[in-house]
Amino acid sequence: MEIPFDQLPTKIKTDLITRAGRFDGFVPCATLYGDLVANNWIVPVDPWIRDPRFPRWDPNDMGPPIRQLYRWGGRQYGANYDADAWVLYGRRDLLNDPKEKAACQAKYGYALRLPRTIKELLDVSEFFNNRDWNGDGRPDFGIVLPLKVNAQGFFFYLAFAAPYVVVPGPTVDEYRNVFFFNPRTMEPIINSPGHVKALEDYIRLTKNGPRAQLGWDLVESWDVFLKGNAALTYSPGDIGSLAKNPDRSRIKGKLTAGPMPASTEYYDRRTGRWVQKLNRVGNLLGCSWHGLISSLSRNKETIYHLFAYMAERPRLFQITTFGWGGVDPGKIYDFPPEVSNGQGTGSIQAYLQQGFDREDALDWLRAYWQNYYEMDAWQEYLRIPGAPEMINSLDLHLSQALVGRETPKQALDAVAREWTEIVNKLGREKLRRAYQESIGYGRPAPRYRPR
């Protein structure tokens, strides 16, 4: 059964709260994990992973940050499937055009390239916005983003804001490697100076695209970029695979990609000061769709068999290389050695056989490898009990700030107040324990360790 994105949490929770048990399993957004685990609504799959009766798959095929997302409290709940993250996409032909390079150099004083810093992202999106650079007689856009409320627009702010807020460090503690709350007190930090500055710059960025994008969902923004009317976008991995589809794309052979741009400063809450330093932060944004087994199911082993069958390495790799199915790269075998410092075990030929352009695929896969394995820090994933309500609050006030009805500070102060109410309603101590478990509080920050 397919359910609209904004109705999915309610549909699943209603089935579980009423104990109707209509679903043996479900494929929810990972933001729902906290509610599902805290209420014992899903069952761990650890007992079956090595059971010879079922298809074999290896949780360690996922990189450490993604593997953590499929687990809770030391238990594995999901079988390998999707791995979402936001990366930056651009038009290789435009960025390499000698005339555009000369004009960019003259205007901004540096060489045109796919932006590696947020300053470059703001400049380059401004540079290409509102002029006809594709020769179709209509102004084109610097960047396109899907900013519709009650969809997935909030992810785009989170991806942009991460390097302003996340302070890198070897451990997850009160000040380092956190983004949403102070894990010691459960006070929201969503209105910290880092977040406010991020939202101010995010609003500037959205001005370098069409006004209509305030009402766009993912597919509408993807189509504008794929049809060749925007120079930049950032999004999950779907752009990389859709670019090869001749029915939807005019940019095959023209796509480049990289990790989300770094900030040139970040706010350190411990010292109360801005740190002037390049900060590269990877993310796990998106839903990372994967199957979970209902504790009400009378057919738990049967539904696990289905999820394990989909998680088997040959089958899952084929689904990933085929593209268009919503399964994005994240397993060690998705990455060929030439994009992963020789550490990935995949093959670029598998992607070429599915119709990818070689350079498009290499840039796309390299962007994901760098996001997962080569950044200074990772942005945590909000999945504690109450996360869907918190996201709704953030989504609503972000939209108010984008249309100018609230200032960035007013919007984020309102989110902080509403999050505090949710924390108090659900139980501060309960959520503090869940948050600490969710982010690995007190433990080493997730780092890549070659096997």
Side-chain angles (χ1 to χ4, degrees), residues 233-440:
T233 189
Y234 61 89
S235 207
D238 307 75
I239 291 281
S241 54
L242 288 170
K244 72 182 176 73
N245 183 346
D247 295 331
R248 294 187 60 177
S249 169
R250 299 174 188 165
I251 63 168
K252 181 178 178 180
K254 302 175 180 177
L255 181 71
T256 189
M260 286 299 295
S263 63
T264 52
E265 59 179 356
Y266 59 88
Y267 185 75
D268 187 340
R269 291 184 298 108
R270 186 179 65 82
T271 63
R273 294 182 177 179
W274 285 89
V275 179
Q276 306 301 313
K277 185 178 180 181
L278 201 67
N279 196 27
R280 306 177 310 152
V281 179
N283 69 80
L284 302 174
L285 293 169
C287 289
S288 289
W289 305 101
H290 57 276
L292 300 173
I293 301 172
S294 170
S295 60
L296 300 179
S297 172
R298 297 177 181 176
N299 309 291
K300 294 183 179 65
E301 292 192 350
T302 302
I303 194 70
Y304 172 74
H305 194 117
L306 171 64
F307 293 150
Y309 174 81
M310 300 300 290
E312 278 191 311
R313 181 181 295 196
R315 187 166 296 102
L316 189 50
F317 183 53
Q318 184 178 29
I319 293 171
T320 304
T321 58
F322 178 75
W324 310 355
V327 177
D328 295 323
K331 287 82 63 184
I332 192 72
Y333 53 77
D334 291 335
F335 300 99
E338 51 266 56
V339 305
S340 56
N341 300 317
Q343 298 178 67
T345 59
S347 163
I348 190 62
Q349 289 302 320
Y351 292 90
L352 303 185
Q353 289 167 5
Q354 296 290 354
F356 278 84
D357 174 84
R358 182 181 180 84
E359 295 305 313
D360 290 359
L362 288 173
D363 283 1
W364 177 59
L365 293 166
R366 186 178 295 108
Y368 271 88
W369 177 266
Q370 291 174 343
N371 174 73
Y372 290 136
Y373 299 123
E374 297 183 356
M375 306 301 273
D376 301 322
W378 279 281
Q379 182 181 29
E380 59 173 284
Y381 194 96
L382 186 63
R383 56 179 188 150
I384 58 175
E389 291 88 340
M390 294 173 187
I391 288 169
N392 286 342
S393 164
L394 176 64
D395 196 25
L396 175 63
H397 288 288
L398 287 176
S399 72
Q400 295 296 298
L402 288 172
V403 299
R405 291 177 184 158
E406 295 177 349
T407 67
K409 184 72 166 62
Q410 288 171 336
L412 295 175
D413 281 348
V415 175
R417 286 195 299 273
E418 292 174 10
W419 284 17
T420 299
E421 292 171 3
I422 294 170
V423 168
N424 291 336
K425 180 182 71 175
L426 297 180
R428 182 171 295 269
E429 181 56 25
K430 171 186 171 183
L431 260 62
R432 188 176 71 88
R433 289 197 303 270
Y435 186 61
Q436 291 186 356
E437 175 57 42
S438 171
I439 64 176

Side-chain angles (χ1 to χ4, degrees), residues 69-86:
L69 191 62
Y70 279 59
R71 299 174 61 83
W72 191 290
R75 295 177 172 180
Q76 183 86 24
Y77 285 90
N80 293 351
Y81 202 60
D82 186 26
D84 277 330
W86 261 231

Side-chain angles (χ1 to χ4, degrees), residues 32-175:
L32 201 57
Y33 247 99
D35 285 311
L36 297 174
V37 173
N39 290 290
N40 294 316
W41 283 337
I42 55 176
V43 299
V45 299
D46 302 88
W48 299 313
I49 292 177
R50 304 298 175 203
D51 189 326
R53 294 178 298 159
F54 301 106
R56 297 294 298 272
W57 58 279
D58 187 350
N60 293 317
D61 285 335
M62 289 286 199
I66 318 165
R67 192 160 65 240
Q68 181 172 306
L69 191 62
Y70 279 59
R71 299 174 61 83
W72 191 290
R75 295 177 172 180
Q76 183 86 24
Y77 285 90
N80 293 351
Y81 202 60
D82 186 26
D84 277 330
W86 261 231
V87 298
L88 179 66
Y89 297 96
R91 287 281 300 277
R92 186 188 313 114
D93 56 332
L94 274 181
L95 298 170
N96 290 334
D97 186 304
K99 292 182 180 177
E100 301 291 1
K101 280 185 171 293
C104 180
Q105 182 76 41
K107 183 170 183 177
Y108 297 105
Y110 58 82
L112 180 62
R113 63 181 182 182
L114 185 71
R116 296 179 187 174
T117 68
I118 288 175
K119 180 184 184 309
E120 292 178 3
L121 178 63
L122 292 167
D123 289 346
V124 174
S125 58
E126 176 191 65
F127 177 68
F128 282 112
N129 193 46
N130 200 31
R131 61 185 177 92
D132 179 20
W133 40 258
N134 66 5
D136 66 356
R138 294 174 296 181
D140 299 302
F141 308 118
I143 192 166
V144 285
L145 301 168
L147 304 175
K148 181 181 178 180
V149 181
N150 292 327
Q152 300 189 52
F154 62 92
F155 283 132
F156 289 77
Y157 165 72
L158 299 179
F160 183 87
Y164 292 84
V165 177
V166 178
V167 178
T171 59
V172 181
D173 60 30
E174 186 174 353
Y175 300 105

